[in-house]
Amino acid sequence: MITHKKLPNGFEYIEVKNGVAEAKIALQGAHLFHYARVGKEPILWLSEVSDFEKGKAIRGGVPICWPWFGFNKDKALPQHGFARISMWEFVCSNELDEKTTVLTFKLTNSEKTLQIWHYKFELELRITISDKLTMELKTTNRDEKEFKITQALHTYFAVSHISDVVILGLDKKPYLDALTYKNEEQEGDITFSEEVDRVYQDVDDEIVLRDKNREIHIKNQGSSSVVVWNPWIEKTKRMSAMQENAYEYMLCIESANAFDDARAIKSQESHSLKAVIC
C-alpha cells in the first residue's frame, strides 16, 4: 500500500507498507528517512530533532549527495550538492507482489540548478522496498559536453550503541582520513572510540555492520569508494538537528563515488550507483 501524506507544515512524503517492510520517502530530496522490516527495529537512524522543512536537509535516513560529495570549491554552494534539498518528481510505483514495492523518483535540471551547476542532466532514483532495501541512483548526461560527478547515498544506520559496533570488509583498504587529510591503510576491522571520517577506496567486497543483536550487509555496484563516519562527542554538539548523545546510536556507511572514484559521464551516457542493504 502506498499513501501520499503531508505534515502540518505541508512537507510531503510517501509511506509504503507491504507484507514484509515499511518505508517513508520525502519528495524533497527523494529522501528515504524510514525503513524497517515488519516486526523489526528500523535499520535507518533518524534524528529525533530533525528538520522537516522546505530547503533544509533531513538529518538521518539516506540523503542523496549529488552532483558533488562534501564541500564544493565554491564555499557559497551547498555542502553535498543540491539534490538533497530539491523537490523531486514522483514518477511511479509498482507493486511487483505482496512483498516487493518499487518507487521511482526523478530530478532534472532547471533554471535554478543551471545557475550553480552548468549542465543539463536527468537523475533517477529507484527504491525497492522488500526484505532487502535496494537503492539505485542513475545519472544521465543530457548536455552536449562531458561532466564529472562525485556522489553518495549518505546512509545513516541505527545501532544499539556505538561501542557495540564492528564494521567488517574494509581490512587492508586504503583510505583518506578526512580529519587529518592523510592517506592511510585500514588495519583489521573498524571499531569506534573517537571521531571517524574516512573515505575508503578500492572497495570491491560486501561490507558487514555487526551490531550487538544483528548484522547488516551492504553490497554496492557502480562504486569503489565507501565513506565511514561518526561525529563523536564534540562535533555532534556543533551540528544542527542532532541531540548531544546522537553519536552513540548512529553511524554512516555511505555508498559513494568520492575523491579518486569520481565518475566522468559523456554526453547522453549514464552511470548508476546501486546499494543493496539486507
Side-chain angles (χ1 to χ4, degrees):
M1 182 173 65
I2 296 169
T3 309
H4 292 254
K5 293 191 170 185
K6 284 186 180 182
L7 297 178
N9 65 356
F11 193 90
E12 298 178 79
Y13 68 98
I14 294 171
E15 185 176 76
V16 181
K17 292 185 178 181
N18 60 33
V20 295
E22 62 182 29
K24 296 176 183 178
I25 306 108
L27 292 184
Q28 178 174 280
H31 191 136
L32 175 70
F33 62 91
H34 173 72
Y35 169 80
R37 300 184 189 104
V38 172
K40 303 291 185 180
E41 292 292 315
I43 283 181
L44 302 178
W45 177 85
L46 178 67
S47 173
E48 296 175 357
V49 292
S50 180
D51 296 308
F52 283 83
E53 296 181 16
K54 186 176 180 181
K56 290 187 176 181
I58 297 169
R59 178 69 70 187
V62 189
I64 295 173
C65 305
W66 191 97
W68 58 82
F69 170 80
F71 288 103
N72 193 284
K73 291 179 181 178
D74 182 349
K75 295 297 190 289
L77 296 179
Q79 184 183 13
H80 291 318
F82 53 79
R84 65 177 183 161
I85 52 174
S86 296
M87 288 299 295
W88 290 53
E89 175 189 354
F90 174 54
V91 178
C92 64
S93 61
N94 189 2
E95 295 182 279
L96 303 183
D97 53 47
E98 63 181 14
K99 297 180 179 180
T100 308
T101 309
V102 182
L103 301 97
T104 303
F105 300 83
K106 184 170 70 173
L107 180 68
T108 56
N109 56 273
S110 64
E111 289 185 13
K112 186 176 181 179
T113 67
L114 287 169
Q115 287 175 1
I116 61 175
W117 196 64
H118 310 303
Y119 301 100
K120 297 176 182 178
F121 67 88
E122 182 177 295
L123 196 57
E124 180 184 270
L125 177 66
R126 181 172 293 185
I127 302 174
T128 302
I129 305 300
S130 65
D131 58 350
K132 300 177 181 179
L133 170 62
T134 303
M135 299 171 287
E136 183 170 6
L137 183 63
K138 180 181 178 182
T139 302
T140 301
N141 184 344
R142 295 300 185 198
D143 212 289
E144 296 179 354
K145 54 190 178 293
E146 178 180 281
F147 60 63
K148 183 180 284 189
I149 61 168
T150 55
Q151 61 180 344
L153 299 168
H154 193 311
T155 309
Y156 288 75
F157 289 96
V159 298
S160 58
H161 194 274
I162 194 66
S163 61
D164 294 323
V165 167
V166 180
I167 298 175
L168 301 84
L170 293 170
D171 185 30
K172 305 302 182 187
K173 297 300 183 183
Y175 68 86
L176 173 68
D177 188 326
L179 302 178
T180 63
Y181 290 97
K182 292 182 179 179
N183 291 303
E184 309 280 1
E185 183 177 286
Q186 180 63 37
E187 297 181 7
D189 300 327
I190 302 170
T191 57
F192 296 85
S193 58
E194 60 186 352
E195 182 180 354
V196 171
D197 191 353
R198 301 171 184 168
V199 183
Y200 288 84
Q201 301 288 346
D202 301 335
V203 180
D204 51 10
D205 295 323
E206 181 178 78
I207 297 165
V208 178
L209 170 57
R210 182 172 290 166
D211 199 355
K212 188 175 181 180
N213 299 312
R214 67 179 177 187
E215 283 190 355
I216 297 171
H217 296 251
I218 306 149
K219 183 65 177 177
N220 299 324
Q221 296 177 21
S223 162
S224 62
S225 55
V226 167
V227 181
V228 176
W229 177 66
N230 180 283
W232 212 247
I233 300 168
E234 293 306 318
K235 188 167 184 177
T236 299
K237 291 178 181 178
R238 300 193 303 268
M239 295 183 69
S240 64
M242 289 187 80
Q243 294 180 328
E244 285 194 5
N245 67 338
Y247 75 95
E248 298 182 65
Y249 304 106
M250 55 70 64
L251 66 87
C252 289
I253 303 174
E254 307 170 35
S255 310
N257 295 121
F259 295 101
D260 293 346
D261 192 29
R263 300 298 169 112
I265 306 174
K266 295 180 180 179
S267 176
Q268 308 311 314
E269 293 189 352
S270 301
H271 170 70
S272 290
L273 169 64
K274 184 176 182 180
V276 181
I277 298 169
C278 60

